Amino acid sequence: MPTLVVVRHAKADSPVGLQDIARPLADRGKADAEEAGRWLSAHVGGCDLLLSSPARRTEETTARLLDGWGAAPVIVDEERLYEASLGDLLRIVRGLDTETADATVTLVAHNPGASALVEALTGEVVQLRTAGIAVLDVEGDWADADTTSCSLRLQHTARAGTDGRETSGEG
């Protein structure tokens, strides 16, 4: 069964005069992104494919996430993830083509889209905070992903130096 991991980028800085797409991670965001990677290593295992928004904060989240995770997936800079609507995100997920039926795919994206995607695919209300992670089980093909075929396995908010928050998708 495929696994979809949805990650909201870590805490970003907001320097005056910098365009939104160029905003870097804040110091806390850098540490939280690495912690998110360590959590993913312990709770998800490997990753086959990672799609990241081209925004600087998501690219920096991806780099630090992978440092902590120790995973070496194929990485795709997916322009449609920046300022993506729910429809855009669903098209991306339904268009995934992985070599194995049990592939793990990670999206590093932005809110409100990331939270809306998890809710649309699982039917559960989820509000991903910065460095928030939702792990979904996808029963069936990527092309058929919807609320009747996805379940929320785990949800976690990575915070460096803490245990974060983890809940199962049950209940």
Side-chain angles (χ1 to χ4, degrees), residues 11-100:
K11 179 76 175 165
D13 211 353
S14 296
V16 176
L18 202 58
Q19 290 185 340
D20 181 68
I21 197 165
R23 291 174 46 213
L25 287 183
D27 289 341
R28 185 187 103 198
K30 293 173 184 177
D32 289 350
E34 286 186 41
E35 180 60 30
R38 288 188 287 276
W39 185 88
L40 285 165
S41 178
H43 293 88
V44 174
C47 179
D48 301 294
L49 174 64
L50 185 143
L51 285 72
S52 176
S53 158
R56 180 175 173 188
R57 62 191 175 275
T58 51
E59 290 176 341
E60 290 180 2
T61 296
T62 294
R64 291 180 178 271
L65 181 80
L66 292 175
D67 285 347
W69 198 344
V74 172
I75 301 171
V76 176
D77 192 32
E78 178 55 69
E79 290 184 21
R80 296 177 296 170
L81 288 174
Y82 182 67
E83 297 184 338
S85 68
L86 175 57
D88 294 332
L89 293 169
L90 287 169
R91 281 187 288 282
I92 290 168
V93 171
R94 292 176 181 151
L96 290 170
D97 184 18
T98 54
E99 293 183 15
T100 61

Side-chain angles (χ1 to χ4, degrees), residues 124-155:
E124 296 192 40
V125 177
V126 171
Q127 185 60 38
L128 294 174
R129 297 171 58 201
T130 55
I133 303 165
V135 181
L136 285 64
D137 292 324
V138 181
E139 297 179 27
D141 295 329
W142 292 110
D144 302 323
D146 64 21
T147 56
T148 62
S149 66
C150 298
S151 59
L152 181 63
R153 183 188 331 158
L154 294 169
Q155 181 181 351

